[in-house]
Amino acid sequence: MLQGTIERVGSTGRRSASKPSSRSHTPERKYLPEVQGLRALAVLMVVAYHVWFGRISGGVDIFLLLSAFLMTGQFTRKLESGRALELLKYWAHLFKRLLPLIAITLVATLGATRLFLPETRWGSVFGQTWASLFYYQNWFLASESVDYYAAEHSLASPLQHFWSLSIQGQIFILWPLIFALAAVIAQRARLRIRALLILMFGTVFTVSLVFSIITTANNQAFAYFDTRTRLWEFALGSLLALLLPYLKFNRNVRIFLGWLGIVAMLSCGIILHVGQQFPGYMALWPTLAAACVIVAGFTNSRVGVDRFLSMKPLVKLGDSSYALYLFHWPVLVIYLVAADKTSAGPLAGLAIILFSICTAWLGTRFVDTPLRRNRWIDQTRMRAVAVILVCMSIVAAPLITWQHQVDVQNQALMAQADRNNPGAASLFPGFIDQSDPDAVLLPTKTAIADDWPKFVGGDCKADGALLLNLCNNGITDGSKSIVVWGSSHAHVLNTPILEMAETNHWNVSSFTKGYCPLGEDTAADITEACVEFNKQTLADILAMKPDVVVTTSTRTNVLWEVPEQLDPSWISTVQTLNDAGIKVIAIRDTPRIPQLVPDCLEATPTDFTGCGAKRIDLFSDESPTDAVAASLPGTTFLDFTDYLCDDTFCPAVIGNVIVYKDDNHITRHLHGNSGTRLCSRVPSRHWLGHEVTHGII
């Protein structure tokens, strides 16, 4: 993947009187063509599996190992020969080689996003472009728990593949520091540098592998992008480079190891569900397979795997492997979106691969190679830094400009929202519509993905992997204390509550977890993790003794035979709160629409009717809470369904306001400087303010 990133430097078994002797089958080679061929084979695996099979191949793990293998050889030779590491110079020239092709990829993807991707996805691409440019894309994706290995790549980001490049970039900073630390320790303790490095990287390998196994078992979606769960793959490459001179096998054994490694590499993605099991111990499969090929080395045999990997076409493709990895994924995702397909067929897939290979060759030939071999740039560190800054500017300038245009447009629309976007106020008797005929719907398509409650002035600890949001509004001396508790549907209730809390100076604390309504009944599709969260939260709330707990009551689901249900364990949980003297406001669940509303509106911009749902499919004639209301006198049941649906239909748009940010979460309608959403645009007598006047809060 990194073709010229770490110079095609060599064999870690270079001869020296003070170093381990080279293996007889590796005669002082500085350039390893079989490694270039191995890189080519790995990138072909990645591309083919992405394009045709919608799966992960394990090829990226091989790239991680190879990058550390080559980097370790380079730095170890420097240390053993007594040369300075010159880390600043190394980093400057390294990223000078990396960033030009990255800049081309990001700028081209931004252009394709503007042309082909729906506006609802622009905001995500903005954030991921910055994350890719500054090498933190893996953490960006980890925080969002992105399903990178989803079969339907048309819904994936065209920049998701930058997660592995971000991890590599982080390692290119960390690994040289380890070598520098080893040099200091070796000098002061008078230790052999190679032995010390083996100890240090062996420790990193062990600790990281154990951490990776545990984290992958507990939270695989997050672990996939976590740098810490991948450190052992780099450490394995470093250990391989350090130990290779000691690994002496006869030629027949090396021939066997080489072909064993190739077969294991090619079969990994077929046999294993890589995306669902990596990067725990399963990732040892492709990395050890690559290690076998490297240990096999140069066999000088007609049947050796090195003869196959050293073939000129593979070596040439290896030269362009970095560019091919960069280019193929955006091409695939943009094609699927533009063609409105979920997968590429045989012919379209072949065309995508050939196009990616051609553009990768052009990028390598006319951008990467000239810059990498430019002696004038390499003469000073500042010239390399200048190239880095230019590359960053090439990406940052259009990105900042585009984001500014979107922000200005959003602000202009918000300034006219009172007239053009009345929302649920349009349902009130006597309402007079004064909106412009061409009024734009709010929230805008670029802002809707982030249309969640905003705890301005407070604190919010969010964990995308665990779907947790633990928030407060920052007020500690409020006249009343309010707790919002429940699933993500309870979380969206925070918007109107926060507005009223600001007006009335209330404390607001919010404890919500996605897919986790109140209750402890695992038979009702409540997970064990949800049960544990609810038990702990209940204990915390009982200790807090707030004035009111706000939550949802029923649960709706378009797939159930019964439109909505009230879980028995919900009733017992609310009873526990009431028995402790804590009042509860329970709000009937919101509709769940059969399709993603923003995408539906994008597809049918002049006809919104197909983006809603029939009321009878979403709600029972009578709320299930009616039967238990009398037994819970400390609980007030509220039902705002009539503000979301008429007698027969639940529309996707009300009063020029998009009701749902996806298929079930009510949007937060930004209005001036105050955060409001559809329901909160209803006058206070129709919302929680009604309960204030009756002394409930």
Side-chain angles (χ1 to χ4, degrees):
M1 185 194 306
L2 293 177
Q3 52 108 5
T5 299
I6 309 297
E7 299 276 0
R8 294 185 203 124
V9 292
S11 162
T12 53
R14 184 177 176 182
R15 286 191 185 276
S16 173
S18 61
K19 307 169 201 172
S21 60
S22 298
R23 302 178 302 165
S24 59
H25 60 281
T26 313
E28 296 188 13
R29 296 183 304 145
K30 292 184 179 180
Y31 175 58
L32 305 176
E34 68 273 13
V35 172
Q36 283 297 92
L38 182 61
R39 183 185 282 119
L41 195 60
V43 77
L44 284 176
M45 289 167 53
V46 171
V47 173
Y49 272 74
H50 279 167
V51 172
W52 278 320
F53 308 115
R55 298 180 64 175
I56 309 300
S57 64
V60 168
D61 302 88
I62 295 171
F63 285 131
L64 303 185
L65 178 138
L66 288 176
S67 61
F69 172 78
L70 295 175
M71 178 169 46
T72 299
Q74 180 182 8
F75 277 102
T76 301
R77 282 190 299 276
K78 280 188 175 183
L79 291 176
E80 290 183 332
S81 62
R83 289 180 289 160
L85 293 179
E86 298 181 296
L87 296 188
L88 293 179
K89 179 180 179 181
Y90 166 77
W91 286 323
H93 289 277
L94 169 66
F95 289 103
K96 177 266 293 184
R97 293 196 299 270
L98 286 174
L99 282 171
L101 288 180
I102 285 178
I104 290 174
T105 303
L106 295 179
V107 170
T109 301
L110 286 174
T113 296
R114 186 68 179 258
L115 291 174
F116 299 110
L117 263 60
E119 289 185 40
T120 52
R121 299 178 63 180
W122 287 5
S124 176
V125 173
F126 292 162
Q128 292 195 36
T129 301
W130 289 117
S132 299
L133 182 62
F134 289 99
Y135 287 91
Y136 65 90
Q137 172 75 319
N138 64 307
W139 293 114
F140 186 97
L141 295 176
S143 66
E144 295 189 345
S145 296
V146 174
D147 189 10
Y148 175 77
Y149 39 85
E152 192 170 359
H153 290 310
S154 62
L155 298 180
S157 162
L159 298 176
Q160 268 182 220
H161 66 315
F162 268 87
W163 72 268
S164 64
L165 299 176
S166 295
I167 291 179
Q168 285 179 315
Q170 295 158 26
I171 295 302
F172 291 150
I173 299 295
L174 175 61
W175 246 231
L177 294 176
I178 294 178
F179 282 101
L181 176 62
V184 173
I185 295 175
Q187 182 179 18
R188 294 184 177 181
R190 297 183 179 181
L191 300 174
R192 292 181 59 188
I193 189 64
R194 186 176 292 257
L196 178 59
L197 288 171
I198 290 173
L199 175 62
M200 294 177 72
F201 285 116
T203 301
V204 173
F205 173 84
T206 303
V207 173
S208 174
L209 180 57
V210 171
F211 177 79
S212 181
I213 292 171
I214 295 173
T215 307
T216 300
N218 295 327
N219 192 351
Q220 190 271 338
F222 188 92
Y224 196 90
F225 303 106
D226 191 335
T227 302
R228 298 166 297 178
T229 64
R230 301 282 182 172
L231 289 177
W232 70 265
E233 297 182 77
F234 292 94
L236 180 60
S238 293
L239 290 172
L240 180 62
L242 294 166
L243 295 172
L244 190 60
Y246 300 102
L247 302 177
K248 300 178 181 179
F249 303 102
N250 64 49
R251 188 166 71 168
N252 289 336
V253 172
R254 289 188 285 112
I255 291 173
F256 171 76
L257 285 175
W259 285 110
L260 175 64
I262 292 295
V263 171
M265 280 175 52
L266 296 176
S267 63
C268 176
I270 298 174
I271 296 175
L272 301 180
H273 290 286
V274 174
Q276 300 173 11
Q277 298 171 314
F278 275 36
Y281 67 91
M282 286 291 186
L284 285 166
W285 183 317
T287 51
L288 290 178
C292 286
V293 176
I294 294 174
V295 170
F298 178 65
T299 65
N300 197 26
S301 169
R302 295 179 61 184
V303 296
V305 74
D306 55 302
R307 184 179 180 89
F308 162 66
L309 293 176
S310 299
M311 294 172 60
K312 191 172 182 179
L314 273 182
V315 174
K316 287 294 184 182
L317 183 60
D319 293 342
S320 302
S321 59
Y322 176 49
L324 179 55
Y325 181 82
L326 279 171
F327 296 167
H328 86 281
W329 181 261
V331 171
L332 171 63
V333 173
I334 297 298
Y335 164 77
L336 294 177
V337 172
D340 193 23
K341 294 184 177 180
T342 57
S343 62
L347 292 180
L350 180 61
I352 290 171
I353 292 174
L354 291 178
F355 177 79
S356 299
I357 291 175
C358 290
T359 53
W361 179 83
L362 290 172
T364 303
R365 173 69 176 81
F366 295 105
V367 177
D368 178 76
T369 301
L371 286 173
R372 178 160 44 89
R373 295 179 178 177
N374 190 296
R375 294 183 179 179
W376 182 82
I377 295 177
D378 286 339
Q379 284 178 357
T380 67
R381 185 168 64 241
M382 291 308 300
R383 291 173 185 173
V385 172
V387 172
I388 294 173
L389 295 177
V390 168
C391 291
M392 289 184 168
S393 300
I394 289 173
V395 178
L399 181 55
I400 291 174
T401 301
W402 190 2
Q403 286 184 292
H404 177 69
Q405 291 174 346
V406 169
D407 291 341
V408 169
Q409 181 187 32
N410 288 344
Q411 291 172 8
L413 293 173
M414 295 304 172
Q416 304 177 45
D418 273 345
R419 184 181 77 257
N420 285 331
N421 307 91
S426 64
L427 302 175
F428 301 155
F431 171 78
I432 299 176
D433 186 4
Q434 298 178 328
S435 63
D436 298 334
D438 57 348
V440 176
L441 302 181
L442 290 180
T444 60
K445 295 170 185 176
T446 53
I448 199 167
D450 192 38
D451 207 52
W452 295 103
K454 305 295 183 182
F455 286 78
V456 179
D459 177 53
C460 205
K461 297 178 181 178
D463 188 325
L466 299 178
L467 303 177
L468 281 175
N469 283 283
L470 308 178
C471 310
N472 64 74
N473 67 343
I475 297 176
T476 58
D477 59 345
S479 58
K480 298 290 182 180
S481 58
I482 316 298
V483 167
V484 178
W485 177 22
S487 67
S488 58
H489 283 207
H491 181 64
V492 298
L493 296 176
N494 278 295
T495 296
I497 292 172
L498 287 169
E499 181 175 319
M500 288 184 292
E502 182 179 2
T503 302
N504 297 283
H505 198 68
W506 296 338
N507 301 357
V508 176
S509 300
S510 179
F511 308 101
T512 61
K513 177 179 174 62
Y515 305 104
C516 188
L518 269 63
E520 301 177 7
D521 186 2
T522 55
D525 300 323
I526 298 177
T527 65
E528 291 289 349
C530 176
V531 170
E532 291 303 315
F533 170 77
N534 283 335
K535 287 181 178 179
Q536 182 61 53
T537 304
L538 177 59
D540 293 341
I541 292 175
L542 292 175
M544 292 170 62
K545 296 188 179 299
D547 294 291
V548 172
V549 170
V550 180
T551 187
T552 55
S553 56
T554 62
R555 287 198 290 156
T556 56
N557 192 321
V558 294
L559 300 178
W560 290 342
E561 293 183 7
V562 179
E564 59 179 325
Q565 67 182 34
L566 184 67
D567 300 321
S569 59
W570 181 94
I571 300 172
S572 60
T573 300
V574 171
Q575 183 67 64
T576 301
L577 292 171
N578 288 166
D579 290 345
I582 300 172
K583 296 178 180 179
V584 175
I585 292 180
I587 300 173
R588 192 176 187 181
D589 202 3
T590 52
R592 295 177 184 265
I593 309 302
Q595 64 276 325
L596 293 171
V597 169
D599 291 351
C600 180
L601 295 175
E602 185 101 29
T604 57
T606 60
D607 183 10
F608 306 150
T609 57
C611 303
K614 295 179 180 179
R615 179 167 178 161
I616 194 173
D617 294 334
L618 306 177
F619 293 102
S620 305
D621 291 337
E622 295 183 1
S623 174
T625 59
D626 291 351
V628 301
S631 63
L632 296 170
T635 298
T636 299
F637 292 90
L638 301 181
D639 184 352
F640 295 97
T641 307
D642 289 343
Y643 297 109
L644 298 169
C645 310
D646 59 26
D647 291 341
T648 60
F649 192 71
C650 301
V653 175
I654 297 177
N656 290 336
V657 172
I658 301 175
V659 183
Y660 309 95
K661 71 180 301 297
D662 40 39
D663 59 356
N664 67 99
H665 293 101
I666 300 295
T667 56
R668 172 186 181 271
H669 178 196
L670 300 176
H671 179 231
N673 293 322
S674 62
T676 60
R677 63 164 196 152
L678 175 68
C679 289
S680 65
R681 291 186 63 79
V682 179
S684 61
R685 66 181 181 277
H686 294 293
W687 185 243
L688 295 184
H690 172 77
E691 306 308 324
V692 176
T693 60
H694 285 76
I696 298 300
I697 298 180

